Amino acid sequence: MHVMDVPMVGVNSAPTYSVGHYCGLTPEAVPSFIVRLKAGEEDVQWLPRIQGVVGGTPLPHMALNDILFCQRCPAASSRYTMSLDGIVERHISSGVWVSTPSGSTSAILSAGGFVQGHGTPGLQYLVREAYAGLEGPPEITSGVTENGLVLTPMSPDLMVFLDGHHQSYDVPLATPLTLRREERSLAVYRYRGR
């Protein structure tokens, strides 16, 4: 997402078939919302986002829902190290999901994660289809971290995808991708965490 300092409100223009997770309004509710906003009767909810840093360079965008760290080709295995709270493991897997609490109702949930309450701390992570054949199954495959995590490619062509497939960045071989939670990153009107 490109928005940094301006509060947003989402309008779900197709509520019969669109989830509209961040949309607190339908089109017919917009006029009354504007009246309440002008009267100072609307409050914003601050949402965290995920900041990625490749090497020492922050990615130009942050993720509101989730990131997916994996191979450019989805059929290829991802080889990397995962560093979390002082533990470093070598992994071969289909990649790693990392989500904010507000993003935990989406892809990571479908992959086997769980819904986090909006106000809960940390980032949820989930290793996809971890391979157990080299040194046995990895120990750090899912959970919540408050300290962030580091993913370092051990094979070429790994990437990080932010909030779907439209924003993606290469993560070069042996270059750490550090993921951390950025608090009070996006102000949203009428957000009702699910």
Side-chain angles (χ1 to χ4, degrees), residues 69 79-83 88-91 150-154:
F69 172 77
R79 297 170 186 262
Y80 56 92
T81 61
M82 184 168 178
S83 304
V88 180
E89 285 187 340
R90 290 189 321 148
H91 287 194
V150 179
L151 302 164
T152 304
M154 294 178 62

Side-chain angles (χ1 to χ4, degrees), residues 84-127:
L84 177 73
D85 298 327
I87 300 170
V88 180
E89 285 187 340
R90 290 189 321 148
H91 287 194
I92 300 174
S93 76
S94 295
V96 183
W97 282 112
V98 180
S99 81
T100 62
S102 58
S104 69
T105 62
S106 190
I108 201 166
L109 178 64
S110 297
F114 58 92
V115 176
Q116 286 179 269
H118 167 67
T120 59
L123 295 172
Q124 186 177 164
Y125 62 92
L126 177 67
V127 175

Side-chain angles (χ1 to χ4, degrees), residues 1-186:
M1 287 193 93
H2 305 276
V3 177
M4 297 299 290
D5 301 319
V6 178
M8 298 181 62
V9 62
V11 179
N12 189 342
S13 60
T16 55
Y17 63 87
S18 173
V19 173
H21 181 82
Y22 296 101
C23 297
L25 298 175
T26 54
E28 58 274 4
V30 171
S32 63
F33 168 78
I34 292 173
V35 169
R36 289 181 49 82
L37 184 63
K38 286 181 178 179
E41 298 171 353
E42 292 287 342
D43 296 320
V44 296
Q45 179 73 52
W46 285 94
L47 301 177
R49 290 189 276 191
I50 303 170
Q51 176 66 67
V53 178
V54 177
T57 305
L59 295 176
H61 304 100
M62 290 185 279
L64 178 58
N65 287 319
D66 48 43
I67 69 97
L68 175 60
F69 172 77
C70 66
Q71 274 284 337
R72 178 182 316 276
C73 172
S77 60
S78 300
R79 297 170 186 262
Y80 56 92
T81 61
M82 184 168 178
S83 304
L84 177 73
D85 298 327
I87 300 170
V88 180
E89 285 187 340
R90 290 189 321 148
H91 287 194
I92 300 174
S93 76
S94 295
V96 183
W97 282 112
V98 180
S99 81
T100 62
S102 58
S104 69
T105 62
S106 190
I108 201 166
L109 178 64
S110 297
F114 58 92
V115 176
Q116 286 179 269
H118 167 67
T120 59
L123 295 172
Q124 186 177 164
Y125 62 92
L126 177 67
V127 175
R128 302 187 321 153
E129 301 152 347
Y131 177 64
L134 291 179
E135 301 167 353
E139 293 181 21
I140 50 174
T141 57
S142 65
V144 175
T145 175
E146 294 186 35
N147 300 319
L149 64 152
V150 179
L151 302 164
T152 304
M154 294 178 62
S155 59
D157 297 323
L158 270 77
M159 302 185 71
V160 60
F161 295 86
L162 281 62
D163 289 330
H165 65 282
H166 295 293
Q167 292 289 336
S168 61
Y169 302 95
D170 291 320
V171 184
L173 182 66
T175 304
L177 167 65
T178 303
L179 300 170
R180 66 176 184 269
R181 176 172 160 153
E182 286 292 323
E183 299 294 344
R184 294 181 61 85
S185 178
L186 181 67

